[in-house]
Amino acid sequence: MKLFLKVIQLHNNEASLIKRAIKKNREAQHVLFELYSSKMLSVCRYYIKDLQQAEEVMLNGFFKVFTHLKSYENKGSFEGWIRRIMIREAISFLRQKKRIEFSVENFEFNSDSSNNINTNIEVAEIQRLIDSLPEGYKMVFVMYAIEGYKHQEIAALLNITEGTSKSQLFKARKLLQGKIKALHKKTSYGAS
């Protein structure tokens, strides 16, 4: 029962903070920033390789959070609402830098191809491999595999077709599989 009370307490504190932040209370805004900034930096970092640029995007995202806080309707989680702002901000940043390219070649999907590789790779190495993907592949992969967006949602956010979204994801997975296999060969040869 105590766990239930802690959840209610946290929600009430968050609701109170949001109300105070809407009224431009700097202390409440600072507390909300402190509560969510590290998670939101991680979200921005998924999309943007350079840490300083990811921090800049996160700060711009928080500016939008506090500017549009009145529009938060207490539907769904507040963290999810902030997360969507950060994702849109990262997409906007990459569009401005003209870094997003989607290959539009026709592609046959093979249902036999497995996308699962058992691996013991460190998180930092996985992030490095994801960062090495072409931006279009990377963006769709992160939105689908990490953020949990559906292809229809990805297509709408990125102004692409669902087929392009599916194709980018398929290609990203194949490319990652190849990179992971190459890394396994490299480490297994190094261990011998």
Side-chain angles (χ1 to χ4, degrees):
M1 190 68 165
K2 284 186 176 187
L3 178 62
F4 182 70
L5 293 175
K6 286 181 182 180
V7 172
I8 291 173
Q9 181 69 27
L10 178 63
H11 178 71
N12 288 339
N13 287 343
E14 184 179 82
S16 172
L17 282 171
I18 293 167
K19 285 178 185 174
R20 291 181 16 231
I22 288 172
K23 294 177 182 174
K24 309 264 189 262
N25 179 302
R26 296 287 182 211
E27 182 183 334
Q29 290 175 342
H30 178 75
V31 171
L32 286 172
F33 178 82
E34 289 296 318
L35 280 172
Y36 294 106
S37 61
S38 63
K39 288 181 183 177
M40 296 308 127
L41 180 58
S42 292
V43 170
C44 294
R45 180 60 188 80
Y46 289 147
Y47 296 91
I48 300 164
K49 185 188 301 190
D50 182 87
L51 181 60
Q52 288 179 328
Q53 290 177 338
E55 287 174 343
E56 179 183 332
V57 168
M58 180 201 63
L59 292 173
N60 289 338
F62 269 105
F63 177 76
K64 288 188 178 173
V65 165
F66 294 125
T67 303
H68 301 288
L69 200 50
K70 290 178 194 169
S71 68
Y72 174 65
E73 299 173 349
N74 285 324
K75 294 178 182 172
S77 79
F78 183 62
E79 181 179 332
W81 183 77
I82 295 173
R83 189 179 203 96
R84 286 187 295 279
I85 291 172
M86 295 297 163
I87 291 168
R88 286 188 171 101
E89 196 64 25
I91 292 168
S92 176
F93 172 82
L94 291 169
R95 278 191 179 131
Q96 287 174 351
K97 298 288 183 186
K98 297 186 185 339
R99 292 188 181 165
I100 307 173
E101 290 183 24
F102 299 100
S103 62
V104 288
E105 63 201 46
N106 289 333
F107 207 75
E108 295 270 334
F109 293 101
N110 183 351
S111 60
D112 291 345
S113 67
S114 171
N115 287 316
N116 299 321
I117 295 179
N118 292 330
T119 183
N120 292 327
I121 299 175
E122 296 290 324
V123 172
E125 186 66 21
I126 292 170
Q127 182 65 56
R128 189 187 68 69
L129 292 174
I130 292 170
D131 284 342
S132 71
L133 292 172
E135 285 301 329
Y137 293 10
K138 176 182 171 183
M139 188 167 294
V140 171
F141 178 82
V142 168
M143 292 178 82
Y144 186 88
I146 296 172
E147 298 292 340
Y149 282 87
K150 302 210 178 331
H151 287 294
Q152 182 179 9
E153 297 168 309
I154 295 169
L157 280 169
L158 299 178
N159 292 328
I160 59 176
T161 67
E162 282 185 58
T164 300
S165 177
K166 290 176 183 178
S167 134
Q168 298 297 294
L169 177 64
F170 182 80
K171 293 173 189 176
R173 284 179 167 167
K174 293 303 274 181
L175 198 54
L176 281 173
Q177 284 177 340
K179 289 174 184 267
I180 290 170
K181 285 178 183 174
L183 189 62
H184 277 297
K185 283 182 183 176
K186 181 179 172 185
T187 56
S188 65
Y189 288 135
S192 300

